[in-house]
Amino acid sequence: MVNGESIYILINHDATRRDFLDLGILRHLLQLCPQRVVLISPAFREQKFLEQALIDKRVTVQPVPALSERRLYYHWRKFRKRCSNAGWLAWHDWRLERCLLDVSGFTAMFRSQPAAAVVLTHPGLLSDRFAEIAARSMGIRTVGMLASWDHVPKGLLAHPDVLGVWNGIDQQGAIEKEGYRREATRVIGPTSFDPYFRPETLKSRGEFLASLGLDPRKKTILLATGGPIFELAQASWLEELLQARRQGRFPVPVQFVCRTHPYDQMLQFMKYVGSSEVHLDYHTRFSPV
């Protein structure tokens, strides 16, 4: 890579904002590389995002270019999804999709500051596909990272030149389903879980429960919700557990922690905020990505 070039990174999802900004991947990248870094994100006006992103004079933030697709693209993607093993298509259909997707916004961006590489942080999103096609048509190398363990089974929209996967299962899936060569994949682990393995992060059970205002002498029951797929059922489950404790149906003293999914409908849980019956661990920060 040339010093005058820039590394472009798409941050279109809250999980990737967490990985790159909260967990320090951006800071680590700046220590390793002399290149400028351009973050492309719909959060380009959000103050908290900018405070975390603009940590070095080499970093700039740009909005995601307008995304436009022809109606035929919808039918093409339906056909593409029906192909149970379409790996052979993955490395060729970009030439067709370049005609169905308007990637001129990304092309203009990559020309304004010559790109050394484009990092796709969520290859399952269509915006990453736009960026990949623009980069590929300009001969720019692309690097991708899986945002979750289940994105390969669900199918990828973008196919970066090099793909970082969580584990060997994902790696084999990328080879068999998405047509990757083994040497074009890297097992990098789940970066979002890295802090849990740092010694300074670990606490004893007593310390952790006390930090939540809970009693270490009691047994703790965790309800980790699963998101909007369960609609209003999860609040009912929590209420049933609380009712069982009120009725003395547990053989030992228990306490509850409810950790909500970032996409849950929070209105159903709000009556538990500040409740002495349950510790509610919920997403409090708004992020437009």
Side-chain angles (χ1 to χ4, degrees):
M1 293 188 289
V2 180
N3 284 4
E5 295 177 326
S6 297
I7 299 172
Y8 287 84
I9 304 173
L10 268 77
I11 300 183
N12 274 334
H13 192 276
D14 194 42
T16 56
R17 178 206 55 76
R18 173 198 62 205
D19 292 351
F20 272 81
L21 302 183
D22 291 358
L23 302 185
I25 294 179
L26 174 61
R27 189 177 301 278
H28 186 60
L29 176 64
L30 291 168
Q31 292 172 351
L32 292 176
C33 303
Q35 281 75 21
R36 294 189 298 266
V37 174
V38 181
L39 302 181
I40 309 171
S41 176
F44 70 103
R45 287 197 181 104
E46 206 262 316
Q47 187 59 37
K48 181 63 176 178
F49 181 90
L50 293 175
E51 289 173 3
Q52 291 182 294
L54 300 178
I55 57 175
D56 188 284
K57 63 182 180 181
R58 289 176 290 156
V59 181
T60 57
V61 178
Q62 296 287 339
V64 179
L67 308 179
S68 176
E69 60 192 75
R70 295 186 179 181
R71 173 170 290 188
L72 181 60
Y73 180 77
Y74 171 76
H75 300 289
W76 162 248
R77 292 311 310 178
K78 285 183 65 177
F79 164 76
R80 177 75 165 73
K81 194 170 184 178
R82 283 201 301 269
C83 298
S84 59
N85 188 346
W88 60 274
L89 273 176
W91 302 100
H92 302 285
D93 63 356
W94 70 273
R95 294 180 175 85
L96 168 63
E97 294 191 13
R98 182 172 54 180
C99 301
L100 302 178
L101 302 175
D102 181 6
V103 301
S104 59
F106 279 104
T107 302
M109 180 181 291
F110 298 157
R111 282 178 179 157
S112 65
Q113 294 187 51
V118 176
V119 180
L120 310 176
T121 61
H122 201 311
L125 294 180
L126 184 57
S127 54
D128 286 51
R129 181 60 164 165
F130 275 79
E132 179 222 343
I133 291 175
R136 195 177 290 276
S137 65
M138 298 172 69
I140 302 168
R141 294 279 290 173
T142 55
V143 179
M145 297 173 59
L146 294 184
S148 177
W149 62 271
D150 61 347
H151 285 181
V152 170
K154 289 179 179 177
L156 304 180
L157 288 180
H159 291 84
D161 297 309
V162 178
L163 181 67
V165 299
W166 280 31
N167 51 46
I169 297 174
D170 276 341
Q171 183 181 46
Q172 194 60 33
I175 293 169
E176 294 176 358
K177 184 176 181 180
E178 302 293 341
Y180 272 89
R181 303 183 313 278
R182 184 171 296 274
E183 59 270 22
T185 62
R186 303 286 189 277
V187 177
I188 62 174
T191 56
S192 54
F193 292 104
D194 283 352
Y196 295 103
F197 296 92
R198 295 173 185 159
E200 64 271 19
T201 303
L202 301 178
K203 296 180 180 179
S204 69
R205 177 181 180 276
E207 288 177 318
F208 176 70
L209 292 176
S211 72
L212 300 181
L214 298 174
D215 187 348
R217 295 169 297 180
K218 295 181 179 180
K219 297 294 185 182
T220 303
I221 297 176
L222 168 67
L223 174 62
T225 63
I229 187 174
F230 295 104
E231 298 182 342
L232 302 180
Q234 301 172 110
S236 298
W237 300 339
L238 178 58
E239 192 57 39
E240 287 183 23
L241 290 169
L242 291 171
Q243 189 65 29
R245 184 177 64 181
R246 294 170 193 143
Q247 296 172 355
R249 289 157 55 190
F250 289 100
V252 295
V254 297
Q255 57 196 352
F256 299 104
V257 175
C258 179
R259 183 178 177 87
T260 62
H261 190 281
Y263 298 157
D264 271 330
Q265 300 177 37
M266 284 306 301
L267 185 60
Q268 60 184 314
F269 296 103
M270 293 313 291
K271 70 177 182 178
Y272 302 111
V273 175
S275 169
S276 60
E277 290 194 297
V278 59
H279 175 81
L280 189 66
D281 183 4
Y282 62 102
H283 204 68
T284 58
R285 181 175 59 190
F286 166 76
S287 178
V289 296

